[in-house]
Amino acid sequence: MKPGLGVWALIVALVALVVLTFLPTPYVIQRPGPVYDTLGTAAGEDGEQVPLISIEGAETFDTAGTLDLTTVQVVGNRERTPSWFELALAWTDSSRAVVPLDSVFPEGVTSEQRDERNATLMVDSQHEATAAALNELGYDTGAEVVVVEAVDDTPAAGVLEPDDVITGIDGATVESAKQLRQTIQDAEGDPIELTVQRRGEEQQVTITPEKHTEGDVTTWLIGITLRTDYDFPIDVAIQLDNVGGPSAGMMFALGIVDRLTEGELNGGENVAGTGTIEADGTVGPIGGIRQKLYGARDAGAEYFLAPASNCDEVVGHVPDGLQVIRTSTLEESLDALSVIADGGDVAKLPACTAS
């Protein structure tokens, strides 16, 4: 008996499925990654569990509950992308996202280079989190804004040098890189005068910013990259390997504040969250928030602190059993935790709503 039309159709479909399984794709998959309690422990270099946040030079206090930082895992890279079959499964899973390969692994950037950049961002985020937490508690963090590089063919080239400490702009004391950048924008192209400490000597330099326009956005740039050095009055060490990027900053800051204050910041409840942070307490946007929501829920969190700037991605994608609270500053996050700890009406806290 010859195979019927239905049998041939099935054979063709199976062959096509096998072919698609091995064809490269221009996508990767984001899925919920591990969740780490900033109040708990993490594996050290020798594999033993050590406190995720260690503090020396100040009294610390026991706490309870969790302040979880959330992560995203990426399935695939330029060397091996997910198959079309894997993508089809991810498209049907609300906890996963299919995103273009170039958005995660830009052309010309190796996986090793990406990992190195993310590791640097993680270290920077730990410093900013420590500064934000200590500033919130009234400590002097001794911030210095330092030039890393003056880019060739920009207004700063030949005027500023690596390791210059920028202490003033137009007569005002420079207290943060954010303040410096904002003052440059406010000048709207007028020359700015910088006070600089160079090899122990103070100098005055004048630079005229260049105008850059992208779409409807205009910025004024002088062509420098910066870092902020701190002189922390106490030693804060954060132990977390194999996690990169800046998105854990806010949760690090909350964990530090909790360790340095009496009582339980979260009232013993399980709270998770995400968000970058600056030394002044500003909470910024992150990537993969939908996957982080599911990771937090699956780890047992009941509440999730989400950056206000990510709210458009949150609405309509909150898993059952998780309440999302909108925040844009460390102070707002602390206020929300106070309501949770006191058993207040959490429903009245800021939430993400459709714009």
Side-chain angles (χ1 to χ4, degrees):
M1 179 181 297
K2 294 182 178 180
L5 185 59
V7 174
W8 281 114
L10 178 61
I11 293 173
V12 170
L14 290 173
V15 171
L17 181 61
V18 171
V19 171
L20 286 175
T21 298
F22 292 100
L23 281 178
T25 64
Y27 301 99
V28 292
I29 298 169
Q30 291 179 333
R31 67 184 182 189
V35 171
Y36 300 92
D37 179 15
T38 61
L39 305 177
T41 62
E45 294 181 356
D46 57 4
E48 294 187 6
Q49 292 293 310
V50 297
L52 194 147
I53 296 175
S54 300
I55 299 174
E56 294 183 2
E59 184 179 6
T60 58
F61 303 90
D62 292 333
T63 186
T66 62
L67 288 173
D68 290 334
L69 67 87
T70 50
T71 68
V72 174
Q73 283 187 330
V74 177
V75 179
N77 52 42
R78 286 205 169 271
E79 288 72 41
R80 191 274 181 193
T81 59
S83 69
W84 288 103
F85 181 69
E86 290 174 301
L87 294 178
L89 292 178
W91 268 312
T92 63
D93 186 340
S94 56
S95 72
R96 301 190 178 202
V98 176
V99 298
L101 174 66
D102 289 342
S103 68
V104 181
F105 297 95
E107 188 73 44
V109 178
T110 66
S111 296
E112 290 76 16
Q113 289 171 327
R114 176 180 177 270
D115 290 343
E116 288 176 5
R117 179 176 181 274
N118 281 337
T120 299
L121 290 172
M122 169 60 85
V123 172
D124 289 344
S125 121
Q126 293 173 0
H127 291 162
E128 292 295 301
T130 302
L134 296 186
N135 286 335
E136 177 67 27
L137 296 173
Y139 288 91
D140 180 6
T141 58
E144 287 187 338
V145 178
V146 185
V147 176
V148 175
E149 178 186 15
V151 181
D152 292 340
D153 300 321
T154 68
V159 180
L160 293 176
E161 299 179 2
D163 297 324
D164 281 350
V165 179
I166 302 177
T167 60
I169 179 169
D170 290 340
T173 301
V174 171
E175 297 179 348
S176 70
K178 180 180 179 180
Q179 172 214 355
L180 175 64
R181 295 187 185 102
Q182 187 59 54
T183 305
I184 293 172
Q185 301 312 306
D186 293 343
E188 297 184 336
D190 290 339
I192 58 170
E193 185 175 89
L194 299 178
T195 304
V196 175
Q197 288 285 340
R198 179 179 298 165
R199 293 183 286 276
E201 295 185 2
E202 184 173 284
Q203 300 188 23
Q204 304 290 329
V205 300
T206 301
I207 302 177
T208 301
E210 284 184 343
K211 184 178 182 179
H212 288 255
T213 302
E214 186 172 339
D216 297 330
V217 178
T218 296
T219 55
W220 298 92
L221 305 175
I222 63 174
I224 55 174
T225 56
L226 300 169
R227 72 174 188 269
T228 303
D229 290 344
Y230 298 99
D231 183 17
F232 295 132
I234 61 177
D235 293 328
V236 178
I238 298 175
Q239 171 66 56
L240 187 60
D241 295 330
N242 303 319
V243 175
S247 66
M250 181 184 69
M251 299 310 294
F252 284 144
L254 290 174
I256 294 167
V257 171
D258 203 0
R259 286 295 186 196
L260 289 171
T261 53
E262 290 190 78
E264 299 162 351
L265 205 61
N266 52 20
E269 301 290 343
N270 295 328
V271 180
T274 187
T276 64
I277 200 162
E278 297 182 23
D280 66 358
T282 301
V283 173
I286 50 80
I289 193 164
R290 295 178 187 176
Q291 289 68 56
K292 292 177 180 179
L293 292 171
Y294 280 91
R297 191 276 310 270
D298 293 345
E302 300 173 62
Y303 307 99
F304 190 97
L305 298 168
S309 41
N310 282 115
C311 271
D312 58 337
E313 302 171 76
V314 170
V315 174
H317 298 279
V318 179
D320 291 340
L322 190 68
Q323 180 165 348
V324 175
I325 301 164
R326 186 183 76 242
T327 181
S328 57
T329 66
L330 178 61
E331 185 177 5
E332 289 180 359
S333 298
L334 290 168
D335 289 344
L337 289 175
S338 179
V339 173
I340 293 171
D342 293 341
D345 189 352
V346 180
K348 292 184 178 180
L349 290 172
C352 286
T353 56
S355 58

